[in-house]
Amino acid sequence: MTAVDVIFIDDDPQVLEAYSETLELEQFKVASSRDAAGALAGITGESASVVLTDVRMPSRDGFDVLELVKTIDKEIPVVLITGHGDVPMALRALRAGAWDFLEKPADPVLLVETIRRGLNHRRLVLENRRLRVAIDGQGDWERRIIGHADATMAMRRALMRLADLDTDVLIVGETGTGKEVAARALHDFGARAKHPFVAVNCGAIPETMLETELFGHEPGAFTGARDRRIGKIEYANRGTLFLDEIESMTAAAQVRLLRVLQERKLERLGSNKEIPVDLRVVTATKTPLADLVRQGRFREDLSYRLDVARVVLPPLRERHGDIALLFRHFVDQAARRYDRPVRDIDARTLQQLGQKEWPGNIRELRNAAERYALAIDDVADPAPATPFAPTGGSLEEQMDAHEASIIASTLASFGGRIGETAGALGISRKTLYLKMKKLGLSQEAAASPGP
């Protein structure tokens, strides 16, 4: 079946023609039919369509159509429409999984808005599925370094080439770009994967403790050193030592680290015994070492030793095409971790994701995804409420302006979802549609975030 927006089934040819024309005038692609079986022959779980069907038909009624569609895909929106509607029938339809229930003759505005909401929902369902498939269907490397942007693929290729080479690696990237993730990938997909991966954040350890943390110490090496301590370097023997924020390392520790890199031997503090170590050293910095050398903050000879092979991690602003994919991945992760239902990503959120700068890079995106998964807040900071101020004009004009402001802000807070907005305002859907029509409010404009 050629891709269509609406599959319309009704046994009345006049209704079929009239409603099809209404929808086509709004640029929807409509496939109309008096035969339910024929109309649904080509529908699949990948169809980006809404099914609009009459309830009472001689061969197969609307509830049969609804049941059949749900066996194909439970998330295909099915709108039932009838000239014999009543409250019990509407309740039965909604309980059976109908997207909406309309009475004939349907208000054209209500019909169009219902179909538009159904289509938007369906497209979001398919987009969320596509994102999950893009993650789940990838190989080991693609699941570890997620994304298809050119910068991402270049980074992934560089890491893949280096994983099996037993050489030291320098990773350069802004804060939050995933330097430890890259280092762990080098370890996990390399020859040392069965041995320890030891991560040390040099910027998080006090200067007075850094050397003993890295090199260990013997009893009595300094006041309070009662027992022998195995340092991080020795503990990483046969595995990988990851030194993050290497630029924070003290001058004294830099001298001792240079000797370890040159000789592959170390001495614990308070000992003259040399201990051989077999390890791969991966270091990370957010500031190029050459700049630090020029500033006199880092030893030049050590920078040469560390910068044998270099991988530069791109910031998230250079991976724009990966943002939705990464966000979907982090939302699913958070849902599993906190045992919460998995949330689909709505249209407003997708729009906000693309508009933000993400100065904190992937770390900031992950935090936003966790808040979204837990329904704590939106991706973007909510705009402060604007108090009502008189705008001049007659009382009726000012009341209309105030009412329009309330409806627009409520629609925006519910992402343009008419049913939830009407419920929050304490009015029926039909009343809400009529007020929007009177006040000149469109669903999309009201639901869109401001600049």
Side-chain angles (χ1 to χ4, degrees), residues 265-312:
K265 296 177 182 178
L266 63 82
E267 295 176 4
R268 301 189 191 110
L269 296 179
S271 171
N272 293 322
K273 180 181 178 182
E274 290 187 334
I275 301 171
V277 287
D278 170 22
L279 76 169
R280 182 185 206 179
V281 179
V282 179
T283 50
T285 176
K286 56 180 177 289
T287 306
L289 293 185
D291 294 346
L292 298 173
V293 170
R294 284 192 294 269
Q295 297 167 16
R297 296 168 51 197
F298 205 83
R299 292 183 63 95
E300 186 173 20
D301 47 3
L302 178 57
S303 73
Y304 292 145
R305 273 288 178 182
L306 296 175
D307 199 357
V308 177
R310 183 191 308 175
V311 179
V312 179

Side-chain angles (χ1 to χ4, degrees), residues 162-168 183-198 233 235-241 264 277-282:
L162 291 171
D164 287 327
L165 299 177
D166 203 29
T167 183
D168 295 339
R184 283 187 178 276
L186 287 172
H187 173 79
D188 291 345
F189 296 117
R192 297 178 180 269
K194 295 181 180 179
H195 302 289
F197 174 87
V198 180
I233 297 175
Y235 186 70
N237 187 45
R238 301 181 67 193
T240 300
L241 175 69
R264 273 350 194 220
V277 287
D278 170 22
L279 76 169
R280 182 185 206 179
V281 179
V282 179

Side-chain angles (χ1 to χ4, degrees), residues 159-285:
L159 291 169
M160 291 172 69
R161 285 195 298 269
L162 291 171
D164 287 327
L165 299 177
D166 203 29
T167 183
D168 295 339
V169 178
L170 174 65
I171 299 173
V172 182
E174 296 178 9
T175 298
T177 49
K179 294 186 284 292
E180 184 167 345
V181 171
R184 283 187 178 276
L186 287 172
H187 173 79
D188 291 345
F189 296 117
R192 297 178 180 269
K194 295 181 180 179
H195 302 289
F197 174 87
V198 180
V200 179
N201 188 322
C202 300
I205 302 174
E207 289 188 13
T208 54
M209 296 180 60
L210 183 60
E211 287 190 69
T212 186
E213 281 290 318
L214 289 176
F215 302 97
H217 62 73
E218 295 289 347
F222 51 85
T223 303
R226 298 187 180 88
D227 301 311
R228 172 180 293 170
R229 177 182 175 85
I230 303 300
K232 300 292 188 183
I233 297 175
E234 189 175 348
Y235 186 70
N237 187 45
R238 301 181 67 193
T240 300
L241 175 69
F242 173 56
L243 300 175
D244 197 5
E245 297 190 30
I246 189 70
E247 68 273 15
S248 303
M249 183 173 282
T250 63
Q254 288 182 39
V255 173
R256 293 176 64 93
L257 178 62
L258 178 61
R259 184 168 185 273
V260 171
L261 294 175
Q262 289 173 331
E263 307 294 336
R264 273 350 194 220
K265 296 177 182 178
L266 63 82
E267 295 176 4
R268 301 189 191 110
L269 296 179
S271 171
N272 293 322
K273 180 181 178 182
E274 290 187 334
I275 301 171
V277 287
D278 170 22
L279 76 169
R280 182 185 206 179
V281 179
V282 179
T283 50
T285 176

